Amino acid sequence: INAEYMGDTVVSAWIYPVIIHWMWSNHGWLSPFADNETHKRVGTNGVIDFAGSCSVHLCGGTCSLVGAVILGPRKGRFSKMPETPEEQAIRSAKFQPHNRVLTCLGAFFLWFGWYGFNCCSTLLASNSSSLVAGKVAVTTTMGTAGGIFGALVADYAVTRTLGLDSPMNGSLIGLVSVTSGCSVIEPWAALLIGLIGGMLYVLATIVLEKVQIDDPVGAVPVHFMGGLWGTIAPGLFCTRDNLKQSYNLDKGVYGLFYGGGGQQLGVQILGAVVVMAWSGFFAFLTFFGLKMAGLLRVPEEVEEEGLDTTEHGASVYNDDFTAKQVLLNTQGNKENNNRLNGENYYRGDVAFQTPAHTPNSTHNNDIPV
């Protein structure tokens, strides 16, 4: 947890603020809001990043990727020896989410919150700003719909099953993919951008597993890949009328597919490269420093037990081993240790009596006293 606080502090106090200054301030060299007479910006319009595919998601996704590489995979996540596809499937199944109902609920919370995230980036709800916010709501919805469908189709093409995990994360990468351009693209383009994003999620997930980078929650495919694609997309799909309405910019430079030339696409790619380089460099310094200090990874026995019991004194799993570990970790004296190895122990307000714990024992051995 100390390492998490340190990493969060570096990202929140240094990496992210510098990026949003470049992207959104009146003085930023990448900002479309900068006065081009007194504060020269890159390109005619600067980087179109309305609600943060680049400055928020690509930044966070890059930090996640660097952190995952330096930290390394969870114990047992990958094999050091070649495995058959069946063996890989069995190993992967052991690390699947334990409650997909809660996972779905979390995805819906994020989806719902995204309407505030994107629509409220207009900063106003009067005059023409309300029209922009309305368009943003539509493109946000179309983007996530495309992401769900794209991930579902791509996942089915690979696994021949209609799973739940890919569409859930597909909805999120669809949202991320339209977050930069949600105010300057048309609904059909948002659907296509989300569709491509959903397919990229499945591709990125496969690549991470091939190179054995452990990403338990899919942060790299959703935020890094989605943020990268979402940053590039306005350079292709931005329309002249939408750019004028949402940014008050009408200088003849807009999306390539609408005849606006390639300049905006080049500026979008430049913005993505800058954010990846800045975020990646300081994330590397942070995570590598924490690793050298011995703070980045928990001890092996803690990894086996789980952070629920060691850090929080509780667990989502209701079994005898977890209950014993909670009591040991929270009270931790010799008397409790002796009692739990074959005597009575207590879980909540119920007393149990079990034989000494072995790795194969289960809660079925519990005998209420």
Side-chain angles (χ1 to χ4, degrees):
I1 286 184
N2 290 333
E4 180 183 352
Y5 289 156
M6 293 177 189
D8 290 347
T9 299
V10 172
V11 174
S12 302
W14 176 244
I15 298 176
Y16 177 65
V18 172
I19 291 173
I20 61 173
H21 173 78
W22 291 341
M23 289 284 186
W24 290 335
S25 78
N26 293 330
H27 310 290
W29 65 286
L30 297 172
S31 173
F33 305 108
D35 184 349
N36 218 17
E37 299 299 325
T38 58
H39 302 283
K40 292 294 184 180
R41 60 175 174 251
V42 171
T44 302
N45 301 323
V47 177
I48 302 300
D49 188 32
F50 187 75
S53 291
C54 188
S55 53
V56 177
H57 298 283
L58 185 56
C59 169
T62 302
C63 292
S64 299
L65 176 58
V66 172
V69 171
I70 295 176
L71 176 63
R74 290 164 290 174
K75 184 179 179 181
R77 178 62 181 88
F78 300 111
S79 174
K80 296 180 180 180
M81 302 296 292
E83 291 183 315
T84 66
E86 291 76 14
E87 290 172 333
Q88 292 175 356
I90 293 172
R91 179 181 296 275
S92 180
K94 295 178 181 179
F95 290 87
Q96 293 298 308
H98 74 279
N99 192 320
R100 284 180 171 80
V101 174
L102 292 180
T103 306
C104 284
L105 185 62
F108 278 118
F109 281 158
L110 286 168
W111 184 348
F112 180 76
W114 228 281
Y115 291 105
F117 186 59
N118 282 6
C119 298
C120 292
S121 291
T122 58
L123 305 181
L124 295 171
S126 60
N127 302 325
S128 61
S129 295
S130 61
L131 300 178
V132 174
K135 175 180 281 291
V136 168
V138 173
T139 54
T140 298
T141 304
M142 298 298 284
T144 193
I148 293 171
F149 187 70
L152 186 66
V153 170
D155 191 48
Y156 181 79
V158 174
T159 66
R160 295 300 173 186
T161 61
L162 297 173
L164 187 61
D165 295 341
S166 287
M168 279 192 295
N169 280 325
S171 71
L172 301 182
I173 196 173
L175 291 163
V176 173
S177 297
V178 298
T179 292
S180 272
C182 55
S183 67
V184 297
I185 59 177
E186 291 298 309
W188 74 265
L191 183 66
L192 179 59
I193 292 169
L195 181 74
I196 295 172
M199 294 179 176
L200 289 175
Y201 167 78
V202 175
L203 175 63
T205 301
I206 294 172
V207 171
L208 287 179
E209 291 196 2
K210 289 291 185 183
V211 298
Q212 296 194 351
I213 296 176
D214 189 13
D215 182 9
V217 297
V220 174
V222 170
H223 298 284
F224 178 80
M225 185 59 72
L228 180 59
W229 165 233
T231 303
I232 294 171
L236 301 171
F237 297 98
C238 171
T239 73
R240 185 170 189 168
D241 290 342
N242 287 333
L243 184 63
K244 182 178 181 180
Q245 186 175 40
S246 56
Y247 285 95
N248 197 28
L249 293 171
D250 188 13
K251 300 180 182 297
V253 175
Y254 42 96
L256 178 63
F257 291 165
Y258 284 88
Q263 185 195 118
Q264 192 61 51
L265 177 61
V267 171
Q268 297 297 124
I269 294 173
L270 173 64
V273 171
V274 168
V275 168
M276 287 188 293
W278 176 266
S279 304
F281 176 72
F282 285 103
F284 174 81
L285 292 182
T286 301
F287 290 119
F288 187 75
L290 290 170
K291 183 177 182 178
M292 291 297 98
L295 297 174
L296 188 60
R297 194 174 193 117
V298 297
E300 186 172 319
E301 62 272 15
V302 175
E303 188 172 348
E304 290 277 3
E305 296 167 11
L307 292 176
D308 287 345
T309 59
T310 56
E311 296 288 350
H312 307 293
S315 175
V316 296
Y317 302 104
N318 188 28
D319 58 50
D320 66 315
F321 176 67
T322 297
K324 288 190 287 186
Q325 286 301 132
V326 169
L327 196 55
L328 283 172
N329 289 327
T330 54
Q331 299 183 17
N333 54 51
K334 186 175 181 180
E335 179 184 348
N336 284 333
N337 188 49
N338 291 336
R339 190 179 78 229
L340 294 180
N341 285 327
E343 302 293 338
N344 293 343
Y345 71 93
Y346 293 86
R347 181 166 64 215
D349 57 356
V350 180
F352 291 87
Q353 186 176 44
T354 70
H357 176 73
T358 64
N360 294 323
S361 65
T362 68
H363 67 278
N364 293 327
N365 294 326
D366 293 350
I367 305 173
V369 177

